[in-house]
Amino acid sequence: MLQVPFRAGAPQAGEAGEALGWTGEFRDPEVEARYRDGRLPAVRSMMQACFIAATAAFVLLALRDFRLHGFNDRFQWALAIRLLGLIFGIGLITIVPKMQTARRLHSVGTIATFGFTILILVTWMIAAPPPNYLGALIFAVLLTYYLLMPIPALAILFNAAFLTLGTLGIGLFWFGIPLDVVVVVTVMVAAGNGLGLMGMRRFKAERRLTYLAQQEARRMTEALTSARQETSRRTEYQAWALDALQVGVLLFSPDRHLHSINRRAIELLALPLDAFRPGDHYEVLIQALVERNEFGQLGADDIRQHIRRLVQGQASSLSARLSSTGKVLEFTLGHLPDGSLAMVISDATERYALHRRLRHSVEVAGDGFALYDASDRIAICSSRFAALYGLTVDQTIGMSYEELLARAYERGVFDPAETGPGSTAVAGQTRRRIPERMIEIRTRAGEWFLVHERITPAGDLVVVRTNITARRRMEDDLRRAKEEAERALAELRDAQANLVMAEKMASLGSLVAGMSHEISTPLGIGVSAASHMSDEIAKLAGAFSTGDLSRSHLQDFLESATEANRIMEANLTRAARLIQAFKQIAADQSNDEIRSFRVAEYLRELMLSLAPALRKVRHRVEIDCPEDLVIRNRPGAFGQIVTNLVMNAVQHAFEGREEPGRIRIVVTQPRPGRVSIEFSDNGHGIAEEFLPKVFDPFFTTKRGAGGTGLGLHIVYNLVSQVLGGAIAISSREWEGTRFTISFPQDAKTE
């Protein structure tokens, strides 16, 4: 209920005695300030009237002085003081209406009172009043201060004290009035102060008590008005709220008479507006519904029985279809503290339709759907989910997870002793511990189910079960097929490795055969020279033994021996070089260790080992390589790459050509730490459709002529896997082929 609050700090009428001080003003400065602000217009008018009266008094006093003293020096001084007071009063009269706050207005009034007091005292000093009148004058002025000036009490007391002391001082020390007059004046001053203080206190207290009474009356009036308005608003709000509800509401008094009914209830029940009004007994509603045959075969007694069940709490809600509209209405009943009843009618047509659709959706959701509520009991499930446990849907709803699991163990659906993958023991370890999971479980019959679980924000657990037995069998078949394919791939790779090794050994064998033929020539020449040398030595020995040795015979022998020695030395040196090169290359290819070597020197040794094959075809190999270029890598792989590229060019690039071909090997260092080899020939080139396949294993255009298709495949593997580099090819038919190889200068030892 809305209430108008009292102003903070404002005392009540009964607390006035404690709220007022000895001056008659409020003790609380904030309350006093609010009181003064409330009386600002009246105080402004009263203060302006006082200043007008004071100004008029100065004018009258000036006229009185002129009449008494004439236009003498004393009159002139008194007139100056009166004119000063007149100007001061006119200024105050002008300023007062402009003061908009009580604080400023009281400050002006205090200053004005103090100024008038000074003017009065100065006037008395210039034009002394008769001694007999002095007490009466000061008595009248004091009473005026206390009773009429609308300024704070402390300011009045200060001015009264100033006027009292000033008057007594002037009378004693300035005028020298007799002692008896001083006594009279003192009595008058004391009487004026006493009576003025009491009058001021009573005057101020009565005004503030009146103010409190008015405030209390205003508050009471406002509270009463607010209460009436609140009651009216509450009644209107209640009616608006009931009409704004999307459900029908009927409120019955304890004696079962209708208190109120909203529009939605009339719409849902399809009643005329005047069929059921406030004050009617609920039997009127029952009769109206029965007469309209809204609930089919249900009669008045049946409806009363259903209402009685709701009242007694035997049912939480009842649903019925209204014949005239076809809507399904749901009735719920609530008890109010005063014994009244609140009946709520909701349109459950869409909810029941949604429930039917939900039931249908549940039935088609996977091979089993279930919804566990926050207490881990089945709230919704499909028939296929329940059938796994040998139950119906109605029997399953309400069962807990533990009860269902025990039922499954009892029927032998799952094996409680199994703890491996797919068992309920494993599935239960993370149940309801993670927001969403997918897990596979297996039944004793060998069926596999994929269980998708998700926890909703409300704490419900949604379970969708899908039979994946066929998929698991397919996965097992695919797994076995994959294993067989991997095994066949491993065998194929072994065969490929053997073929690669055979290719390398065949290359080494052809190298051995060529080197054997190449070495046999210098060795044969050396043997012939040695044999000729032996014959010459035998002739020289026979001539010496017979004594026929002459100077000419010795000269011929020396010339023949020198020539034979030169021939033997040259051919043996050539044979030694060939053997050394063959030994180094054969050792590198058989023991592929990382070592440092000069590229130019190693290429020349390779060409020396390939000389027999190149000499047969008369092709020319040009090498362009810096002499100081040293790399640290696997020389065996390097030599195998160059050998394969040279032999590939010899076999394919110049086939059918009569003129000698040219093979060019250019070695550069494009940047520090990187080596580039450009191997090119001026042969036939490679067709564009073959370029993407040249590095594939077993690809060859000489399938029936002894080609294995492994030469360039070995080159690709050696470059990419052994040297840690990259190889690229570019070619156009009849313009030759170019291989570009790039690899690190310093290989890392694994």
Side-chain angles (χ1 to χ4, degrees):
M1 177 177 178
L2 296 176
Q3 292 182 349
V4 179
F6 294 135
R7 290 184 177 87
Q12 306 298 315
E15 302 171 353
E18 299 178 0
L20 299 178
W22 62 273
T23 61
E25 296 177 342
F26 289 114
R27 297 178 186 273
D28 191 341
E30 294 183 2
V31 178
E32 179 67 22
R34 285 198 298 272
Y35 166 76
R36 292 173 181 176
D37 289 338
R39 285 183 47 79
L40 180 61
V43 172
R44 188 189 294 119
S45 301
M46 187 173 181
M47 190 174 292
Q48 193 172 14
C50 290
F51 291 157
I52 292 174
T55 303
F58 274 103
V59 174
L60 294 176
L61 288 174
L63 295 176
R64 184 189 68 85
D65 291 340
F66 178 76
R67 182 179 179 184
L68 292 176
H69 306 292
F71 196 77
N72 56 12
D73 293 339
R74 177 178 296 183
F75 171 74
Q76 293 177 5
W77 281 104
L79 181 61
I81 298 301
R82 307 300 186 194
L83 292 176
L84 183 62
L86 178 63
I87 295 171
F88 185 60
I90 294 173
L92 291 174
I93 294 170
T94 306
I95 292 174
V96 166
K98 299 180 180 180
M99 297 295 102
Q100 300 300 321
T101 62
R103 185 182 183 88
R104 291 185 178 181
L105 186 63
H106 289 153
S107 299
V108 171
T110 301
I111 294 172
T113 306
F114 185 71
F116 281 130
T117 301
I118 293 175
L119 290 174
I120 291 172
L121 294 176
V122 172
T123 302
W124 287 350
M125 292 176 66
I126 294 174
N132 296 332
Y133 297 154
L134 184 61
L137 287 174
I138 193 172
F139 179 81
V141 172
L142 286 173
L143 287 181
T144 302
Y145 276 168
Y146 280 112
L147 299 180
L148 297 181
M149 287 304 297
I151 59 176
L154 292 179
I156 293 176
L157 292 176
F158 173 78
N159 278 282
F162 179 66
L163 178 62
T164 300
L165 295 176
T167 302
L168 293 176
I170 290 172
L172 287 173
F173 303 108
W174 184 264
F175 296 140
I177 58 177
L179 183 61
D180 57 342
V181 176
V182 171
V183 173
V184 173
V185 171
T186 302
V187 172
M188 295 295 291
V189 167
N193 280 290
L195 292 175
L197 180 61
M198 288 188 298
M200 179 193 69
R201 184 184 185 285
R202 183 170 183 178
F203 183 72
K204 288 181 176 292
E206 287 180 353
R207 283 183 174 276
R208 281 156 179 78
L209 290 176
T210 303
Y211 167 76
L212 290 178
Q214 292 174 348
Q215 291 296 104
E216 181 70 14
R218 184 181 298 109
R219 283 194 291 266
M220 293 296 294
T221 302
E222 291 176 355
L224 182 60
T225 303
S226 176
R228 291 174 179 174
Q229 294 175 350
E230 178 64 17
T231 302
S232 176
R233 281 198 299 270
R234 290 184 63 180
T235 303
E236 293 177 358
Y237 290 161
Q238 182 179 8
W240 293 342
L242 288 177
D243 287 337
L245 292 176
Q246 296 301 313
V247 295
V249 178
L250 294 89
L251 300 177
F252 293 96
S253 62
D255 58 355
R256 304 302 181 259
H257 286 80
L258 180 65
H259 177 271
S260 59
I261 181 173
N262 67 347
R263 295 179 182 178
R264 183 59 176 164
I266 296 174
E267 293 174 1
L268 292 176
L269 294 174
L271 293 173
L273 293 178
D274 57 349
F276 195 43
R277 295 180 176 277
D280 291 343
H281 197 269
Y282 78 93
E283 286 288 345
V284 177
L285 175 62
I286 295 176
Q287 292 297 329
L289 294 174
V290 171
E291 291 175 0
R292 294 167 57 88
N293 197 23
E294 290 289 1
F295 296 124
Q297 302 299 323
L298 292 179
D301 293 337
D302 298 325
I303 296 176
R304 293 191 193 94
Q305 178 64 24
H306 288 305
I307 294 176
R308 191 178 299 109
R309 291 183 60 200
L310 288 175
V311 172
Q312 296 175 357
Q314 298 177 0
S316 59
S317 64
L318 292 175
S319 301
R321 184 179 297 275
L322 208 63
S323 301
S324 59
T325 61
K327 294 182 178 180
V328 177
L329 304 182
E330 187 175 67
F331 298 84
T332 56
L333 204 65
H335 294 270
L336 302 182
D338 62 348
S340 302
L341 293 179
M343 178 179 289
V344 178
I345 307 173
S346 58
D347 186 355
T349 307
E350 293 185 1
R351 183 155 55 86
Y352 272 78
L354 179 61
H355 181 71
R356 288 196 302 271
R357 291 194 293 270
L358 177 61
R359 293 292 306 170
H360 178 70
S361 301
V362 165
E363 290 298 328
V364 299
D367 295 297
F369 176 89
L371 176 67
Y372 291 86
D373 58 18
S375 61
D376 216 12
R377 292 187 173 274
I378 296 289
I380 302 173
C381 73
S382 65
S383 58
R384 278 185 283 186
F385 181 89
L388 183 65
Y389 304 96
L391 300 171
T392 63
V393 173
D394 294 336
Q395 292 172 336
T396 307
I397 290 178
M399 294 183 68
S400 65
Y401 171 75
E402 289 77 11
E403 292 172 348
L404 279 177
L405 192 60
R407 172 85 177 181
Y409 288 152
E410 180 182 349
R411 297 187 71 246
V413 178
F414 301 115
D415 186 1
E418 186 177 359
T419 58
S423 64
T424 54
V426 174
Q429 292 175 358
T430 57
R431 187 176 185 273
R432 280 191 177 271
R433 296 185 181 179
I434 52 179
E436 185 173 1
R437 70 168 185 168
M438 297 184 72
I439 191 170
E440 296 180 355
I441 61 173
R442 184 182 62 222
T443 65
R444 271 187 171 180
E447 287 188 309
W448 283 88
F449 289 92
L450 176 64
V451 181
H452 185 186
E453 297 180 349
R454 176 182 294 178
I455 300 176
T456 67
D460 299 335
L461 179 65
V462 181
V463 179
V464 179
R465 183 182 296 164
T466 306
N467 193 320
I468 59 170
T469 306
R471 194 190 77 183
R472 289 285 301 208
R473 291 172 182 168
M474 185 181 299
E475 289 176 354
D476 293 340
D477 294 341
L478 290 175
R479 191 179 300 108
R480 285 192 294 269
K482 179 183 176 184
E483 292 173 354
E484 293 177 0
E486 290 177 349
R487 185 164 52 253
L489 179 60
E491 294 175 356
L492 181 60
R493 286 176 177 170
D494 292 340
Q496 181 179 341
N498 293 333
L499 287 173
V500 172
M501 183 58 68
E503 180 73 10
K504 293 176 65 176
M505 295 307 295
S507 176
L508 188 59
S510 63
L511 178 62
V512 170
M515 289 298 294
S516 299
H517 180 272
E518 190 72 16
I519 293 172
S520 65
T521 301
L523 288 179
I525 295 172
V527 170
S528 298
S531 177
H532 175 72
M533 187 67 180
S534 298
D535 292 341
E536 291 296 324
I537 292 173
K539 290 178 181 180
L540 181 63
F544 178 76
S545 62
T546 59
D548 294 334
L549 181 63
S550 63
R551 184 179 181 87
S552 61
H553 287 159
L554 184 58
Q555 183 67 32
D556 292 339
F557 172 76
L558 290 175
E559 291 177 357
S560 179
T562 300
E563 181 65 20
N565 184 63
R566 185 188 62 78
I567 292 173
M568 285 190 295
E569 184 179 359
N571 284 278
L572 289 176
T573 300
R574 177 175 172 78
R577 286 179 59 199
L578 289 172
I579 293 172
Q580 182 63 30
F582 173 74
K583 179 182 177 182
Q584 182 63 54
I585 292 171
D588 286 338
Q589 292 191 7
S590 61
N591 184 16
D592 200 15
E593 294 182 353
I594 296 176
R595 68 178 179 87
S596 299
F597 60 94
R598 292 182 179 275
V599 180
E601 182 180 344
Y602 198 78
L603 286 174
R604 286 193 291 270
E605 291 178 356
L606 282 174
M607 294 306 105
L608 185 59
S609 66
L610 296 174
L614 295 174
R615 192 178 296 114
K616 293 178 182 179
V617 294
R618 298 181 297 124
H619 300 314
R620 184 175 75 258
V621 178
E622 298 176 359
I623 298 176
D624 183 4
C625 177
E627 291 294 332
D628 59 347
L629 179 57
V630 178
I631 65 174
R632 184 176 179 275
N633 216 309
R634 291 178 170 85
F638 181 82
Q640 184 72 38
I641 292 169
V642 175
T643 300
N644 283 17
L645 290 176
V646 171
M647 297 310 297
N648 182 74
V650 169
Q651 294 174 5
H652 298 280
F654 306 110
E655 183 182 9
R657 283 180 55 168
E658 295 181 358
E659 67 275 9
R662 179 177 61 83
I663 298 174
R664 182 172 175 79
I665 303 175
V666 180
V667 182
T668 59
Q669 198 170 9
R671 66 175 185 273
R674 200 75 181 173
V675 177
S676 176
I677 299 177
E678 188 176 279
F679 184 95
S680 60
D681 62 65
N682 61 347
H684 301 314
I686 303 174
E688 186 176 356
E689 64 268 18
F690 294 152
L691 283 177
K693 305 176 183 178
V694 294
F695 296 122
D696 293 348
F698 308 112
F699 174 77
T700 179
T701 58
K702 300 284 188 180
R703 180 69 64 189
T708 62
L710 292 174
L712 291 182
H713 177 66
I714 293 173
V715 170
Y716 179 83
N717 286 340
L718 290 175
V719 171
S720 60
Q721 299 179 10
V722 179
L723 297 186
I727 182 172
I729 183 174
S730 61
S731 179
R732 297 180 67 179
E733 287 191 275
W734 311 112
E735 294 183 9
T737 303
R738 177 179 287 106
F739 293 90
T740 303
I741 302 172
S742 176
F743 58 92
Q745 184 178 2
D746 189 354
K748 297 181 180 179
T749 305
E750 296 182 358

